[in-house]
């Protein structure tokens, strides 16, 4: 999540969400490498898996490096003009490449985590307890990283604004509810099944960014 957050600053919300298209690729790779998944290229199912993985790689690379046209939203609940201007002025080609690389490291970590969770849940079936321990360890790690990188105490203060709402949403929904549901899906269907559902994330993110914040949708990188 820390790598993903830095990549978000270096690129855009749409690109960072699009990078999750590579989660099925990394999950599939680690699942095969660690013996959690088998592929038979002589069967239709095996060919379909390899074809889907190839499409994910090509799609992610296209959106990361292809300069396409811009689609402007017809309306927005909140204007993001200042945010877009800041993004255009601060994000160069070098930062964009670094952001893409950090996104790849983040989705690789996610893919490996999904595969490792499958093994853990076989011997530790309490999904709620497992999610609690997972969130606790993440809290300790993130606190140590944050207090090392950010020494300005004013940056730690939260007010009654969208910043507080984002923290609460990420804490309760993203880290709590979604992680529990992910553990349940992994235990029932396996890590690759969960990884294959992640391409829905960029679609929902792009729609939300366009109509809630007025962010332009780029058919490729910005």
């Amino acid at each position: 999540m820390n790598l993903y957050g830095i990549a978000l600053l270096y690129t855009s919300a749409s690109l960072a969400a699009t990078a999750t298209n590579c989660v099925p690729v990394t999950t599939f790779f680690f699942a095969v490498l660690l013996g959690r998944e088998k592929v038979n290229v002589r069967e239709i199912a095996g060919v379909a898996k390899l074809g889907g993985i190839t499409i994910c790689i090509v799609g992610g690379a296209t959106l990361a490096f292809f300069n396409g046209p811009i689609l402007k939203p017809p309306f927005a609940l909140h204007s993001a003009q200042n945010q877009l201007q800041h993004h255009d002025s601060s994000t160069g080609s070098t930062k964009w490449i670094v952001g893409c690389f950090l996104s790849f490291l983040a989705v690789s970590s996610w893919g490996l985590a999904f595969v490792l969770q499958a093994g853990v849940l076989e011997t530790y079936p309490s999904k709620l307890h497992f999610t609690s321990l997972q969130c606790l360890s993440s809290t300790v790690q993130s606190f140590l990283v944050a207090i090392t990188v950010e020494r300005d105490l004013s940056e730690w203060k939260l007010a009654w604004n969208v910043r507080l709402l984002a923290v609460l949403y990420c804490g309760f929904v993203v880290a709590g509810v979604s992680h529990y549901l992910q553990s349940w899906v992994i235990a029932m269907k396996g890590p690759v099944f969960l990884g294959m559902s992640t391409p829905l994330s960029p679609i929902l993110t792009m729609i939300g960014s366009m109509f809630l914040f007025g962010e332009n949708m780029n058919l490729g990188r910005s």
Side-chain angles (χ1 to χ4, degrees):
M1 290 298 296
N2 289 326
L3 291 174
Y4 192 77
I6 299 175
L8 179 63
L9 293 176
Y10 282 4
T11 55
S12 66
S14 299
L15 189 279
T18 303
T20 59
N21 279 339
C22 294
V23 172
V25 180
T26 58
T27 305
F28 180 78
F29 172 78
F30 286 116
V32 173
L33 184 64
L34 299 178
R36 309 293 305 187
E37 185 80 12
K38 295 182 180 180
V39 181
N40 189 351
V41 294
R42 297 181 180 180
E43 297 180 355
I44 297 179
V47 175
K49 289 180 181 179
L50 293 178
I53 294 300
T54 303
I55 293 175
C56 288
I57 296 176
V58 174
T62 300
L63 289 173
F65 302 108
F66 172 70
N67 287 302
I70 298 177
L71 300 178
K72 295 184 178 180
F75 66 91
L77 298 181
H78 174 70
S79 175
Q81 183 178 0
N82 295 333
Q83 180 182 359
L84 292 175
Q85 291 177 350
H86 173 74
H87 175 73
D88 292 338
S89 62
S90 62
T91 303
S93 58
T94 301
K95 282 190 174 182
W96 188 272
I97 298 298
V98 172
C100 292
F101 177 71
L102 293 177
S103 296
F104 175 75
L105 291 181
V107 298
S108 297
S109 301
W110 266 321
L112 179 59
F114 289 160
V115 176
L116 295 178
Q117 284 183 46
V120 173
L121 291 172
E122 290 178 355
T123 57
Y124 196 82
S126 178
K127 303 174 186 62
L128 186 59
H129 196 187
F130 175 77
T131 302
S132 300
L133 293 176
Q134 189 178 27
C135 292
L136 177 62
S137 62
S138 298
T139 301
V140 174
Q141 181 194 42
S142 297
F143 175 75
L144 294 177
V145 172
I147 201 172
T148 301
V149 176
E150 185 56 69
R151 302 295 181 87
D152 187 3
L153 295 180
S154 62
E155 293 295 326
W156 290 76
K157 296 180 180 179
L158 294 175
W160 292 97
N161 51 28
V162 69
R163 188 174 179 179
L164 176 61
L165 178 62
V167 171
L168 293 176
Y169 177 82
C170 289
F172 286 98
V173 180
V174 178
V177 177
S178 66
H179 283 185
Y180 173 78
L181 294 177
Q182 287 177 4
S183 300
W184 184 83
V185 172
I186 290 175
M188 297 295 294
K189 294 292 186 178
V192 176
F193 183 88
L194 175 63
M196 291 299 178
S197 66
T198 54
L200 292 174
S201 176
I203 298 176
L204 299 176
T205 302
M206 289 179 181
I207 294 175
S209 297
M210 283 187 67
F211 292 100
L212 294 180
F213 301 107
E215 180 178 308
N216 295 332
M217 180 182 294
N218 299 281
L219 299 181
R221 57 165 290 184
S222 61

